[in-house]
């Protein structure tokens, strides 16, 4: 688990990504977002998908579900934006390091922004999975976190979160 300072940094980075890319609706389009950062997504029959090469290519496996590919793009973008990319990615430690947790947290924050889910009253894993086009596994994890966040009732307290909320306002009102 990330200590709170790292959590805040990654959370803020996900909000900033949504702001910078002018994302206004769910489900977001990960490949288009990656392209805004000059990263290209390449689909192949590779078994070991989910890498960002030094030349700005995110490798994806055609054998993965669309939801898994979407998460992988945002996870790898998280590595890139959080400064984790460097050296030969073939030698990257694949264990659940802190960097992996940070990239996962970034992907969750972008794909399933809490303030938007809160505004839409999307509380169940099924609702989140459908709304955000993510796997049930990812949606279940987010649903559990949403329960904690909702109990704390601390939404829209950070300026970046308020900006994300405003960007999504038209989408929220249309649902």
């Amino acid at each position: 688990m990330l200590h709170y300072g790292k959590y805040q940094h990654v959370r803020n980075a996900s909000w900033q990504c949504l702001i910078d890319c002018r994302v206004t609706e769910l489900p977001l389009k990960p490949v288009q977002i990656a392209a805004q950062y000059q990263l290209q997504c390449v689909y192949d029959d590779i078994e070991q998908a989910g890498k960002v090469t030094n030349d700005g290519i995110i490798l994806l496996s055609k054998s993965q579900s669309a939801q898994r590919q979407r998460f992988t793009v945002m996870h790898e973008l998280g590595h890139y934006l959080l400064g984790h990319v460097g050296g030969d990615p073939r030698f990257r430690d694949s264990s659940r390091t802190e960097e992996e947790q940070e990239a996962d947290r970034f992907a969750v924050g972008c794909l399933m922004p809490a303030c938007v889910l809160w505004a839409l009253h999307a509380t169940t894993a099924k609702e989140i999975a459908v709304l955000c086009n993510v796997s049930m596994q990812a949606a279940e994890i987010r649903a559990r976190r949403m329960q904690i966040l909702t109990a704390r009732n601390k939404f829209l307290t950070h300026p970046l979160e308020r900006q994300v909320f405003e960007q999504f306002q038209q989408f929220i009102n249309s649902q």
Side-chain angles (χ1 to χ4, degrees), residues 6 10 75 78-87 92 98-103:
K6 287 268 188 176
V10 175
H75 174 96
H79 279 305
Y80 179 80
L81 293 177
L82 296 168
H84 301 165
V85 178
R92 184 177 205 103
E98 189 172 273
E99 286 185 354
E100 292 302 314
Q101 292 174 38
E102 290 175 10

Side-chain angles (χ1 to χ4, degrees), residues 29-104:
K29 297 168 177 64
V31 173
Q32 290 178 6
I33 291 171
Q36 290 188 36
Y37 292 100
Q38 285 73 50
L39 298 176
Q40 179 185 7
C41 297
V42 175
Y43 300 85
D44 204 344
D45 292 324
I46 55 177
E47 288 184 32
Q48 193 69 5
K51 302 285 183 198
V52 180
T53 66
N54 287 335
D55 54 350
I57 296 174
I58 297 174
L59 301 174
L60 299 169
S61 173
K62 289 180 185 176
S63 66
Q64 291 180 326
S65 70
Q67 289 82 12
R68 182 68 206 159
Q69 289 176 7
R70 292 167 47 73
F71 193 91
T72 298
V73 171
M74 295 312 295
H75 174 96
E76 296 306 323
L77 179 60
H79 279 305
Y80 179 80
L81 293 177
L82 296 168
H84 301 165
V85 178
D88 190 333
R90 293 175 296 173
F91 300 108
R92 184 177 205 103
D93 180 6
S94 62
S95 65
R96 300 300 298 168
T97 65
E98 189 172 273
E99 286 185 354
E100 292 302 314
Q101 292 174 38
E102 290 175 10
D104 279 351

Side-chain angles (χ1 to χ4, degrees), residues 117-160:
L117 298 178
W118 167 75
L120 295 172
H121 307 288
T123 58
T124 69
K126 184 172 173 105
E127 290 169 327
I128 294 169
V130 170
L131 180 65
C132 301
N133 193 14
V134 296
S135 70
M136 278 303 291
Q137 179 184 6
E140 287 167 358
I141 292 167
R142 189 51 157 171
R144 286 193 298 272
R145 181 70 183 153
M146 286 299 297
Q147 289 176 344
I148 294 166
L149 294 173
T150 301
R152 289 183 184 158
N153 195 26
K154 294 285 186 180
F155 292 100
L156 309 179
T157 60
H158 193 282
L160 291 175

